[in-house]
Amino acid sequence: MSKPKFAMYWAAACGGCEIAVLNIDEKVLDLDANFEVAFWPAAMDVKYKDVEAMEDASILVTLFNGSIRTDENEHMARLLRRKSRILVAFGSCANEGCIPGLANLSSRESLFERVYQANATSPSTENPNNLRPQASSQVPEGTLTLPPLQAVIRTLDQVVEVDYHVPGCPPESRQIAAVLDALIAVVKGEAELPPKGAVLGAGNSTVCDECARKRDVKQIGKISRIQELPPLATDVCLLEQGLMCAGPATRSGCDSRCPNVGAPCIGCYGAAPGVLDQGARLMTAIASVVDANEPDAIDRVLDGIPDPAGSFYRFSLAHSLLRANRAALAEKP
Amino acid sequence: MSALDNTNTFEPVIIGFTCNWCSYRAADLAGTSRIKYPPNVRLIRVMCSGRIDPTFVLKALSDGADGVMIAGCHPGECHYLEQNYKALRRHRLLQKTLAQFGIEPARVRLTWASAAEGALFAQEIATMVDEVKQLGPLNWPARPVPVGSVPAEIPVLSEVGA
Ligand code: SF4
Ligand code: FES
């Protein structure tokens, strides 16, 4: 009896999702016992052309992590969509753009400038000849090509249809294990597939809901960064202690790991259920607790957030209502 | 701009959120007093300006509006006590954020109008329409539509590979 096929792929991602899958320890043996791994660049050597040669819909499930930044990413998204019966947007990048998505606040040209310009603002740039990567370049051995960068980052579901979503940066290993268990139960005929579009491996509430810190004061007079504050109370809400915490707008499922150890939630599980735009919800929450009513006084408190778009949309910019800066969106794809 | 001047035919679409108790009544008064204001504003009545989530504004802008007006009772006069201060704070925070998206401040206007200020409300709308006309259309690009061949139906998995 041949086993159903499993694939995992990374597009514009950091590799953390792959590590998180390996962190399920011996559970990975269950994966191997129930599936044939058909394609997984981080774990085994299968070439793109091998995937292209596979029959359409012959892979049962593909975990796709990473967002769509280059033509290569898009090609692989389309290819794997065609080859997979179930395509899972796995991790924050694939679902909401994550940190790479923050590049959507800048035009492509300004990204290249920042990174490659000789006297660039980036302190680590040393490029006296102003060399830039080219989509195609000639060398004695022939032509070398690089996949062109697209104007903006897109999430997987902005490029192809997605069947399920597993959020998190990266998804918690215990949640990954639970998702795999559920899949294996389906393969064995012991369970049904969840409805298409379901969010798997996460909670149905907010991080605040899971967080044990006490909330009483509703007003904050100053927003600081964690290194600017004296040691914090261990049992009081971090937002009330003057830190920007994304808990009120973020989906639960991580067991509020960051606030538990004194670091504010940064929003990696994406928008909470029913929230259309994570950043907008966070703006609502933060503005509500600012203890000032006069425009100047309000601005003084809000000056504690030097990069509002980056703070409110740290993980979900590419999937937000606006998606990107206007100039970036206006560029040719 | 005269009716004969067709160099600028752009008519902005502006979504106006008005609170039930003051600003909507101001708009109503403008109507019953036959005060003219440009027809570019589509008013949406909510109970209080404190109900305006920045999500509403972003949704309007990303779905084709050229500008959004948020109107509430004057500070200190909100019928739910302090909610218009929340609207004020959200507006300031939203403006800071929108700047990073390349959206000009004049496209999202906050204004206060009591139920007696029909003329002022009409004037606010006229000013905003003028300012947005100067800026031109926003034309936020539509959200990308996913494509790709999806097997018509997800099969019963127990049959796969058996
Ligand atoms: S805002 Fe942050 S620290 Fe406060 S309850 Fe929510 S998750 Fe916990
Ligand atoms: S009722 Fe008018 S602003 Fe609250």
Side-chain angles (χ1 to χ4, degrees):
Chain A
M1 185 181 106
S2 69
K3 293 184 281 190
K5 294 199 170 80
F6 168 93
M8 181 156 189
Y9 184 70
W10 44 17
C14 73
C17 282
E18 316 275 340
I19 308 288
V21 171
L22 296 176
N23 264 348
I24 60 176
D25 300 333
E26 70 280 0
K27 196 96 209 153
V28 85
L29 299 176
D30 289 354
L31 179 69
D32 183 58
N34 289 281
F35 290 95
E36 175 195 334
V37 177
F39 178 54
W40 186 355
M44 59 193 271
D45 186 20
V46 175
K47 304 297 185 201
Y48 289 177
K49 65 173 171 9
D50 302 326
V51 182
E52 276 150 23
M54 291 177 192
E55 251 179 68
D56 285 358
S58 62
I59 299 171
L60 178 63
V61 54
T62 295
L63 305 183
F64 191 106
N65 69 85
S67 47
I68 311 302
R69 168 88 264 188
T70 66
D71 286 0
E72 179 191 21
N73 299 151
E74 176 164 359
H75 170 75
M76 288 309 289
R78 290 182 192 277
L79 180 64
L80 286 166
R81 171 68 279 181
R82 210 167 65 231
K83 302 299 173 189
S84 318
R85 294 192 177 213
I86 301 173
L87 181 65
V88 181
F90 190 87
S92 176
C93 289
N95 280 292
E96 309 201 284
C98 195
I99 305 295
L102 288 175
N104 281 4
L105 288 174
S106 314
S107 69
R108 181 172 39 193
E109 180 51 31
S110 62
L111 292 177
F112 275 108
E113 245 166 49
R114 166 118 175 126
V115 177
Y116 293 106
Q117 203 68 22
N119 47 5
T121 41
S122 153
S124 59
T125 300
E126 198 177 303
N127 185 14
N129 297 327
N130 268 327
L131 296 178
R132 294 253 184 132
Q134 301 297 320
S136 142
S137 38
Q138 295 300 327
V139 292
E141 294 82 2
T143 310
L144 291 178
T145 59
L146 280 174
L149 216 61
Q150 301 185 342
V152 292
I153 288 225
R154 285 175 297 163
T155 61
L156 184 61
D157 71 353
Q158 290 169 347
V159 176
V160 292
E161 271 197 47
V162 165
D163 299 305
Y164 298 112
H165 306 267
V166 177
C169 179
E172 286 292 315
S173 292
R174 84 170 167 82
Q175 296 279 22
I176 299 173
V179 169
L180 287 178
D181 275 344
L183 256 177
I184 291 168
V186 171
V187 173
K188 288 182 169 162
E190 294 161 1
E192 302 236 330
L193 272 176
K196 188 174 159 143
V199 176
L200 310 177
N204 261 323
S205 181
T206 61
V207 174
C208 284
D209 208 27
E210 283 185 333
C211 175
R213 290 176 176 267
K214 282 199 302 286
R215 281 148 284 187
D216 334 282
V217 212
K218 288 281 177 276
Q219 303 277 288
I220 51 173
K222 188 168 175 355
I223 299 168
S224 305
R225 302 175 76 182
I226 195 162
Q227 64 270 30
E228 299 164 348
L229 293 172
L232 297 164
T234 54
D235 55 350
V236 176
C237 168
L238 295 167
L239 189 54
E240 291 183 3
Q241 298 185 68
L243 282 173
M244 254 274 297
C245 184
T250 304
R251 184 182 279 275
S252 60
C254 60
D255 305 318
S256 64
R257 281 181 70 161
C258 296
N260 288 355
V261 296
C265 169
I266 51 176
C268 82
Y269 262 64
V275 171
L276 198 55
D277 188 291
Q278 187 182 19
R281 174 55 59 90
L282 201 49
M283 279 185 244
T284 302
I286 301 289
S288 301
V289 297
V290 166
D291 187 14
N293 285 339
E294 296 305 321
D296 290 346
I298 295 171
D299 287 350
R300 271 197 298 281
V301 180
L302 297 181
D303 282 347
I305 311 170
D307 174 16
S311 312
F312 299 134
Y313 293 101
R314 191 173 295 175
F315 291 87
S316 61
L317 184 72
H319 207 258
S320 66
L321 284 164
L322 294 175
R323 307 196 310 281
N325 172 283
R326 198 175 175 198
L329 278 176
E331 271 183 280
K332 278 208 281 306
Chain B
M1 188 179 79
S2 81
L4 294 173
D5 176 5
N6 57 4
T7 53
N8 181 4
T9 49
F10 164 56
E11 288 297 340
V13 172
I14 291 166
I15 302 297
F17 293 104
T18 49
C19 80
N20 186 45
W21 302 105
C22 291
S23 48
Y24 186 80
R25 282 157 205 238
D28 212 23
L29 178 65
T32 50
S33 339
R34 296 172 175 261
I35 300 169
K36 287 213 170 80
Y37 61 81
N40 304 64
V41 180
R42 279 71 162 162
L43 292 185
I44 297 175
R45 177 167 53 160
V46 294
M47 287 310 281
C48 173
S49 64
R51 176 67 186 93
I52 314 296
D53 189 302
T55 308
F56 302 175
V57 180
L58 300 178
K59 189 149 196 325
L61 296 176
S62 63
D63 278 345
D66 300 295
V68 175
M69 173 182 270
I70 300 165
C73 313
H74 283 277
E77 288 172 16
C78 169
H79 287 238
Y80 305 94
L81 305 176
E82 303 242 297
Q83 299 306 307
N84 52 358
Y85 289 114
K86 279 190 188 161
L88 171 65
R89 292 184 219 127
R90 285 180 192 147
H91 179 252
R92 296 194 89 77
L93 190 49
L94 185 59
Q95 290 285 24
K96 274 172 72 108
T97 310
L98 288 180
Q100 290 177 279
F101 286 90
I103 295 180
E104 304 88 344
R107 291 192 191 273
V108 183
R109 187 182 184 95
L110 177 72
T111 187
W112 311 128
S114 79
E117 292 174 327
L120 178 120
F121 186 73
Q123 189 48 52
E124 279 290 307
I125 289 178
T127 309
M128 177 165 188
V129 169
D130 248 20
E131 288 181 4
V132 176
K133 271 190 182 168
Q134 297 298 320
L135 291 174
L138 181 62
N139 266 343
W140 204 261
R143 278 178 272 284
V145 181
V147 293
S149 61
V150 184
E153 236 171 68
I154 296 189
V156 181
L157 291 195
S158 49
E159 292 168 2
V160 172

